[in-house]
Structure formats: structure tokens, C-alpha cells
Amino acid sequence: MDEQKKKAKARIDLLRKNISQWNTKYYSLGQSDVSDELYDAYYLELKTLERKYPEFVSPDSPTKKVGAPLVQSSFEKVKHSVPMLSLENAFGNDELDLWFKRLEKNISLGDEDHNNSEKESFPNNSKSSSLEFVAELKIDGVSISLLYENGQFIKAITRGDGLTGEDVTENVRTINSLPQKVEYKGSFEVRGEVLMTFSTFKTLEGLANPRNATAGSLKLLDPKLCAERKLSLFTYQALGLKELRTHWDNLQFLKREGFTVNPLSEICSGIDEVKRFCEKANNDKKDLDYPTDGVVVKVNDLSLQESVGSTSKYPRWAIAYKFAAEEAETIVENITVEVGRLGTLTPVAELKPVLLAGTIVKRASLHNADLIQELDVRIGDYVIVRKAGEIIPEVVSVAKKEKRGEESLPFHFPETCPSCGTKVVKVESEVAIRCPNSQTCPAQIHRRIEHWASKSAMDIKGLGESIIAQLVQKNLINEFADIYLLKAENLLELEGFKDKSVDNLLSSIQESKSMPLDRVIFGLGIKHVGANTAKIIAKHYSSTDELMNVTKTELIGIDGVGDAIAEEIESFFRNEENRMLLERLKSYGLKMESVQENEFSKKPLLGQTFVITGMFEIPRSGIEEMILKMGGKVSSSVSKKTNYLILGEEPGSKLEKAKKFQTKIISLQDLRKMLNEE
Ligand code: IVH
């Protein structure tokens, strides 16, 4: 074998080894240590080399297999009735054109096999310039097959190796938008993508990206934990329906039956319209709350799809146009380790600032210790950073390893917590490394306060990360109960705080005292208890007092609460320090009680119109918000329809008008009483 061939063979072996390892990890554990770009680059290189050196082609190559073999796991294996194929990628318009040319050729070949009358049934294959496509977003989630019989959802199977997947029915059942019942009574299968929104992803710790988080969630053994992950679904294909003629009809069928179909799908006439769609989607993707990594282009006519057919891996009638990920190269100036609310240690690369997707990036997540080791990132390294959607940028790979200084040493993950010095622990079944000192670790306390004040918990506006950092640093707060002891003079000490912002923050703290029980339970930050579980618990208990005596057995009896959750809740309320914390909160006037869930109690001002005049101790926008939140309307001028005028100091002409119309005139305090906010 000549030198060049030898080299090629060695490279092929290396590429195959890496790709197979990534595949195994992804398909069996739902985890991925590699960026999509690197994976695609390796795959493409391997394919090119195999084409150039056909003597090295092997049936074991990952290019010849769909997905990876399944390794052992505790989910039941199910064979797919129709294989779940993958999609060929096109990077850029040139590759899209190549695919289109091949498609045209395939269509004309298909024509030769058909007599004229059959040709008639292909409405748009004669003029390929007007060949009709459907362009859809390529959702960056986990593909799923959903089986329905007699109008009922019966099974959900992961893609697995494309031929056999795993039964994840109970986890998929927790997806809110999944129709459990449908009108159509025949047997059929729906294919789609399970995903996690960026907003949900942001509330989790220690996970690489929404796709990984989705894959991991589907593999959770306790569906109740999966429910917490609030997965979503977009469907894109129904199989087993004879009466449909186009892919577009297929999407309409899905919508009619109650499935969620991505609203940004469009019919495109000809490849130029497809390109315009791709360009627009690429520009608009930053505004979406879910991850997408490209556009899937599909031939619309189903009989045409059938006539061009598929290879063993891909359908010939579809292609994935991949967006270029936004990447940049920079230097790692330091590697620091952050501690999360639940004690998870997350390594972070402190970067030489670099412009990426329109923003200056100074920090990027390194996710976990395993990843640092695998990438072998060191301080001083040149790295490629990437930003996908709204997620924090991440380090994808190390560039120019040869440029490393001699003094560069592999990074050693700390053995003690960088915040409190406690020895860290690694839980056997998790990738995460944790600080076990949940009670006094300053970093965990800081994050807990942040969580307590966050929008989905107590919604204390103006109490963001930097304010909390200052308050903690000045020893003004050590636990979230301390928030309720803050005084105007404390806040005026803080950087950038003026009378007005102090007033706003204090009234927001005041308002948070009447937050209902579910928000409090969520805000407490109990492990495994997300917003959903908190709501379920709050429906069964009237106050935190009642929860003090709750038992695990009792909790398990509640629909939607599993073993793990029940255990965490019981031990949280048994813990002496937590009990003291709750007592303190109560003594500061926090209600922490359940609200009756009827339309009126949620929105006591429904159907009432308010006009505001004069000056108040809180900003007008705050009053408006209170009214809107409780279902009322705010109008700028008094009319016959006005129900209440809220009167402040030095009122304007609106007061006269209100008197004329005999509108009820009330103070801000009266409004608060109406809202039970006093
Ligand atoms: S159609 C025959 N449409 O991308 C293949 N796939 O890289 C049919 N995906 O396994 C797939 N969004 O999990 C299709 N709108 C979309 C999609 C989509 C995401 C995923 C799917 C597939 C993978 C291929």
C-alpha cells in the first residue's frame, strides 16, 4: 500500500471510531459530546474518503448504518413499521442546487418508467422550475414516532437505530400538546420532533443544550420527572393514510386532528422560493423560543415522493438545508467554575472578548468535567465558540493545539467547592459534580435567592443578579427571607439606586408577599419540584403550615407526584432549618396560601374599566399592571363606561369628568383592598 493510501486508511479508521462512539452515546444515552458541526465535518470527510478509496468501504462504517446499534437500556425495544430514515444535509445554496439537479434527474428517470396516463397523475413534474416543495423548519430535538389506534394514542417510540427504537410512551404522555385522543379512527402513525424550549432549558442546570436535555428527559425512568421538563412537540408527517395527495395535505390533516405543526411551514414553487424561505428562516430563527438548525425541504407531491424513493439512509425527496452555526475563534483566558442553585458545578471558559452573532462574548459554558477532559481545553488555548439561538455560548473545540505554550497544563476540576470549600461529590448516575453544602454555601444561597425572586416564582421585579450579588456581598441578605427585611436606606447604598428604583423594588417585594402557595413552593427550590409539580401540590394543600407535616406516602397518592419528588418534598419540610425559614417568612407577612381556582378569583377585576389620575407612591405603570393582571381594563379618559377612577394627589381634569359621570372614585389603597393586596 502506498504512503498516501496508508494515511487515508488511518484517517478513515479514526473518523469511523469517533463517529461510532458519538453515535453510541447519542442513541443509547441521549447524550452528545460533540457539536453538530464537528460531527457533520467528520461525517462528510469520511464519506469523501470512502468515495475516493472504495477499497476501504465496509458495511460496518457509520456511513452505511442508520444511527448506531442500541445498547442495553431499561426501555422496551420496538421495531418501526417503516424505518425512520435520516436526512441528507446541504450546507449552503450550492449543495441545495446539486440536490435539486439530482432530484430533477430522478424525476425524469421516473417518468420514463411510466406511461402517459400515469404521468398525468404527477401534476408538477413536467415543469421542474415550478416543482412544488414544502419548506419547514428543522427542529433541533429528538425524533419520535407516535402510534394511534381507534382514536387513541397508544405508543411512542424513539428513533433508535432507525429500525428499532425504544418505547418511551409514558414519558411522551406528559407532553401537554400531545393529543391523547383523535377524531380519526383508523390506525396511523405520526412522526415528529420532541423538543425543549429555550425558556424551559434555562431553568435547568448542568445540561449541554435543549436537544440533549430533551433526549435525556425522554430516557428518565420516572415520567413525573419527565413532566417537569415540560417537553413540547412539533409533528411533520402522518403515515398510513391513503387519501392524502400532498405533504401539505398531510400537515393539514395533523392540524385538524389536534397535533401541533410548526406554523412557519410554507409551500414553495421552485427552488428559488425555497432559497428565499431558507434565508428568511435563518434571519428569523433568533426570535424563536425553540432550537432549529435548518430547513427541511420536501417534495410536496406524495406520488412523486414515492417514485423517487429513498436510499437505505435518506429519502431522495427531502433534504436538510443546514444553517451555518455562528462560530468564532478566541483565546481562553481562564477557566472558572460556577456553582448552581442545587450545587451543580459548571465550568466556564473566560474568553478574550469576541464578536459572535452580533454580541460580544466573554464567557462560554464548558458544561461539565467530562467535556473539558474530552476536548482537552486548557487555559491559553485557541478555541472555537458557538452560539446557537438564545443559549449561552459554548466551547465547541480547541483550535491550533500545536500553538499551545509549553507551560500549558490540562485543567483539573476542583475537588472542593470554589464558593465554600466543601469537598465536592460525584453522583454515580449523573455527569454532574456537586457541592453538598446546600445550607451555607454562599454561591448556592445566591442562586436560590435569584430563583426565589424570578418571574415564575415570586416575581420580584428589579431584584436581578447584580443587585442580589451586591446585597449578599454587603451582608444585607443571607437567605431569601432577608429580602423582606430590606429598608429604603439599605437599598440606597447600592450602586445606581435612586429614590424611584428603591420605591419600585420595595413595592414589588411587598406585592410578592401575597403570591399564592404554588409560587412559594416553586420558589423554595426543592430538588425535582418545578413549576408544574408545585401547582399540583398547591392544589392538595392549603398552606405551607399544612405541608410541614406532609408524609411521603401521602404525597405519592397524588396524581402526578412520583417517588423521587415525594421524597424530596418530605425531607425539605422535615428539615429544621427549612422549617425555621418558613416560620420567618410567615412572620414577615407572607401569605403562602392556595387560591381557589375559579375564573373570578384569578381575575377579580374582569369586566371593570379603570382610569387613573394624579400622582402615586408607586409608578403608574405598576398600577396599570396590577389592574391588567387581575383582568381589568385601563383607559386613558373617563367615559360612561368607566367603572372606577383611581385618584392620586394633584388630580387632573379627569376628576371633574368622573364626578359628572358619577364614576366611583377610589384610592390606590382601595384598589389594593379589592385585590386583596393589603
Ligand atoms: S422529515 C425521512 N421534517 O431531522 C426523514 N425531519 O436529520 C423524515 N427533523 O430524523 C424527516 N425537523 O428527527 C423532518 N421538519 C422536519 C424535521 C425533521 C427535524 C429531524 C428528524 C430527522 C432528522 C434528520
Side-chain angles (χ1 to χ4, degrees):
M1 213 186 319
D2 68 29
E3 219 23 61
Q4 201 180 356
K5 260 194 188 171
K6 252 194 214 156
K7 262 195 190 155
K9 177 72 174 62
R11 181 77 189 155
I12 287 176
D13 288 344
L14 179 88
L15 294 169
R16 282 180 184 162
K17 188 172 146 246
N18 275 303
I19 296 171
S20 301
Q21 275 175 1
W22 292 329
N23 280 347
T24 308
K25 195 151 181 190
Y26 180 60
Y27 289 113
S28 58
L29 300 175
Q31 292 172 356
S32 155
D33 314 316
V34 61
S35 74
D36 291 357
E37 287 65 42
L38 192 66
Y39 182 96
D40 290 339
Y42 269 47
Y43 196 91
L44 206 67
E45 187 183 345
L46 178 59
K47 245 171 62 173
T48 317
L49 284 171
E50 286 178 346
R51 215 176 290 140
K52 198 163 161 198
Y53 300 97
E55 60 272 45
F56 298 141
V57 167
S58 139
D60 291 339
S61 173
T63 58
K64 297 284 172 268
K65 289 193 268 180
V66 184
L70 290 164
V71 299
Q72 224 197 317
S73 87
S74 40
F75 291 88
E76 196 194 328
K77 309 280 177 292
V78 185
K79 201 168 175 311
H80 293 295
S81 59
V82 179
M84 287 185 86
L85 298 182
S86 195
L87 287 169
E88 195 177 354
N89 289 330
F91 297 94
N93 281 346
D94 290 351
E95 291 194 18
L96 196 61
D97 281 331
L98 283 176
W99 170 75
F100 181 63
K101 290 224 171 69
R102 244 186 303 136
L103 179 71
E104 280 186 313
K105 219 165 104 192
N106 280 324
I107 290 173
S108 62
L109 284 178
D111 275 357
E112 283 164 20
D113 296 340
H114 291 86
N115 63 33
N116 280 338
S117 66
E118 274 175 318
K119 215 175 179 176
E120 292 292 317
S121 68
F122 299 156
N124 50 26
N125 64 348
S126 46
K127 259 207 210 111
S128 52
S129 60
S130 62
L131 191 62
E132 224 170 66
F133 297 99
V134 173
E136 296 164 12
L137 288 186
K138 185 170 189 305
I139 310 297
D140 198 7
V142 171
S143 41
I144 197 82
S145 150
L146 309 163
L147 308 184
Y148 285 80
E149 265 170 28
N150 294 321
Q152 301 266 6
F153 165 65
I154 55 156
K155 208 172 252 181
I157 318 163
T158 61
R159 175 164 176 262
D161 63 357
L163 301 174
T164 308
E166 287 178 323
D167 183 336
V168 288
T169 311
E170 293 318 309
N171 282 340
V172 168
R173 235 184 247 290
T174 68
I175 300 175
N176 270 336
S177 58
L178 176 97
Q180 308 274 351
K181 286 195 166 60
V182 290
E183 279 293 306
Y184 187 83
K185 295 291 175 286
S187 295
F188 70 110
E189 179 178 343
V190 171
R191 294 206 169 157
E193 201 81 356
V194 181
L195 66 122
M196 185 182 283
T197 60
F198 290 125
S199 1
T200 303
F201 176 72
K202 274 192 210 145
T203 67
L204 301 171
E205 277 180 21
L207 295 160
N209 53 47
R211 172 163 43 84
N212 270 321
T214 308
S217 304
L218 287 177
K219 300 280 172 92
L220 288 169
L221 287 174
D222 180 356
K224 313 255 163 63
L225 292 183
C226 183
E228 271 305 318
R229 301 291 182 87
K230 285 210 217 139
L231 299 175
S232 313
L233 173 74
F234 279 128
T235 58
Y236 47 70
Q237 195 181 19
L239 300 172
L241 304 162
K242 297 215 168 51
E243 55 272 37
L244 301 175
R245 286 186 53 245
T246 63
H247 177 64
W248 189 253
D249 289 346
N250 206 319
L251 296 180
Q252 306 319 306
F253 166 82
L254 288 169
K255 280 196 233 172
R256 270 200 310 278
E257 293 294 337
F259 293 91
T260 37
V261 171
N262 190 284
L264 300 176
S265 316
E266 265 176 34
I267 295 184
C268 296
S269 257
I271 200 72
D272 290 337
E273 275 189 22
V274 168
K275 287 180 191 164
R276 279 195 289 277
F277 180 94
C278 294
E279 198 186 322
K280 188 164 177 332
N282 195 17
N283 282 328
D284 295 349
K285 69 164 192 278
K286 60 180 184 310
D287 301 324
L288 301 174
D289 191 28
Y290 47 85
T292 132
D293 58 342
V295 170
V296 183
V297 185
K298 300 171 182 177
V299 168
N300 193 18
D301 192 283
L302 294 181
S303 50
L304 206 49
Q305 283 189 4
E306 202 183 330
S307 84
V308 293
S310 305
T311 71
S312 64
K313 282 183 67 102
Y314 315 119
R316 293 195 187 87
W317 45 263
I319 191 142
Y321 172 96
K322 297 287 282 264
F323 297 139
E326 315 215 34
E327 292 191 342
E329 192 180 289
T330 185
I331 296 173
V332 179
E333 290 180 334
N334 198 4
I335 297 177
T336 53
V337 175
E338 279 190 355
V339 185
R341 173 166 65 85
L342 298 166
T344 313
L345 269 61
T346 304
V348 174
E350 308 284 344
L351 306 167
K352 182 167 174 237
V354 61
L355 189 69
L356 178 61
T359 45
I360 303 272
V361 171
K362 295 185 198 138
R363 314 178 80 220
S365 176
L366 285 161
H367 305 309
N368 52 52
D370 290 1
L371 184 69
I372 300 196
Q373 210 172 7
E374 237 153 282
L375 294 175
D376 187 21
V377 183
R378 304 179 184 191
I379 297 169
D381 272 351
Y382 286 86
V383 286
I384 306 292
V385 285
R386 181 175 71 145
K387 197 166 173 184
E390 265 189 84
I391 328 175
I392 348 144
E394 56 179 349
V395 173
V396 182
S397 61
V398 177
K400 310 184 198 155
K401 274 199 178 151
E402 67 286 356
K403 280 206 175 167
R404 246 179 204 164
E406 275 179 11
E407 68 287 358
S408 108
L409 291 172
F411 178 74
H412 282 293
F413 210 80
E415 285 173 9
T416 56
C417 169
S419 177
C420 68
T422 308
K423 200 169 180 320
V424 297
V425 290
K426 183 164 164 70
V427 183
E428 201 54 55
S429 56
E430 300 177 10
V431 267
I433 293 180
R434 293 179 194 282
C435 161
N437 175 18
S438 61
Q439 290 297 333
T440 63
C441 172
Q444 291 185 52
I445 292 174
H446 180 149
R447 298 283 170 218
R448 277 206 296 269
I449 297 174
E450 235 173 78
H451 177 73
W452 175 262
S454 70
K455 203 170 163 57
S456 335
M458 303 304 273
D459 194 17
I460 306 181
K461 291 186 193 70
L463 197 59
E465 194 178 340
S466 71
I467 309 289
I468 295 173
Q470 288 189 62
L471 290 168
V472 172
Q473 205 225 340
K474 288 189 194 293
N475 256 329
L476 288 167
I477 51 177
N478 285 312
E479 255 313 343
F480 41 72
D482 301 339
I483 296 174
Y484 298 93
L485 295 176
L486 288 172
K487 303 231 159 23
E489 60 261 34
N490 303 139
L491 296 173
L492 282 166
E493 276 180 42
L494 306 183
E495 222 170 275
F497 257 80
K498 300 242 165 49
D499 285 350
K500 201 172 157 214
S501 34
V502 167
D503 283 354
N504 287 349
L505 179 51
L506 287 176
S507 63
S508 187
I509 291 175
Q510 188 63 21
E511 274 171 32
S512 79
K513 291 186 181 174
S514 37
M515 276 293 181
L517 185 62
D518 65 303
R519 299 290 202 103
V520 174
I521 298 174
F522 176 59
L524 290 172
I526 307 166
K527 195 172 175 190
H528 298 324
V529 180
N532 271 343
T533 305
K535 280 203 183 86
I536 296 174
I537 305 286
K539 278 206 186 107
H540 288 79
Y541 297 90
S542 61
S543 65
T544 42
D545 283 347
E546 225 184 299
L547 281 163
M548 297 274 202
N549 304 317
V550 77
T551 65
K552 191 178 157 190
T553 336
E554 193 181 313
L555 286 163
I556 293 174
I558 299 175
D559 197 21
V561 179
D563 245 25
I565 299 173
E567 191 154 340
E568 292 294 339
I569 297 179
E570 188 198 68
S571 82
F572 183 92
F573 287 100
R574 286 277 152 92
N575 179 296
E576 207 38 57
E577 311 205 23
N578 292 336
R579 292 169 82 96
M580 267 154 52
L581 172 78
L582 288 162
E583 281 306 325
R584 274 184 72 197
L585 289 170
K586 219 172 109 185
S587 72
Y588 299 149
L590 272 83
K591 287 224 173 77
M592 307 193 284
E593 286 169 359
S594 282
V595 281
Q596 248 0 68
E597 280 264 357
N598 68 44
E599 194 52 30
F600 187 74
S601 73
K602 264 191 297 180
K603 297 198 182 307
L605 303 185
L606 217 59
Q608 311 282 346
T609 304
F610 293 77
V611 173
I612 309 172
T613 184
M615 290 185 304
F616 299 86
E617 73 256 29
I618 62 168
R620 239 176 220 222
S621 57
I623 306 177
E624 283 177 15
E625 204 170 307
M626 263 154 74
I627 297 172
L628 295 175
K629 219 161 69 189
M630 297 298 166
K633 272 196 219 142
V634 180
S635 164
S636 56
S637 60
V638 178
S639 73
K640 268 198 301 213
K641 286 187 194 142
T642 311
N643 300 94
Y644 295 99
L645 177 79
I646 303 177
L647 184 65
E649 280 168 38
E650 297 178 42
S653 62
K654 288 174 194 164
L655 177 60
E656 292 313 312
K657 232 174 162 188
K659 283 181 182 159
K660 200 174 107 198
F661 285 118
Q662 294 186 328
T663 311
K664 273 184 223 132
I665 299 168
I666 59 168
S667 66
L668 177 58
Q669 217 158 347
D670 296 331
L671 175 72
R672 285 200 170 123
K673 269 187 205 143
M674 286 168 82
L675 303 178
N676 257 340
E677 297 243 355
E678 268 290 71

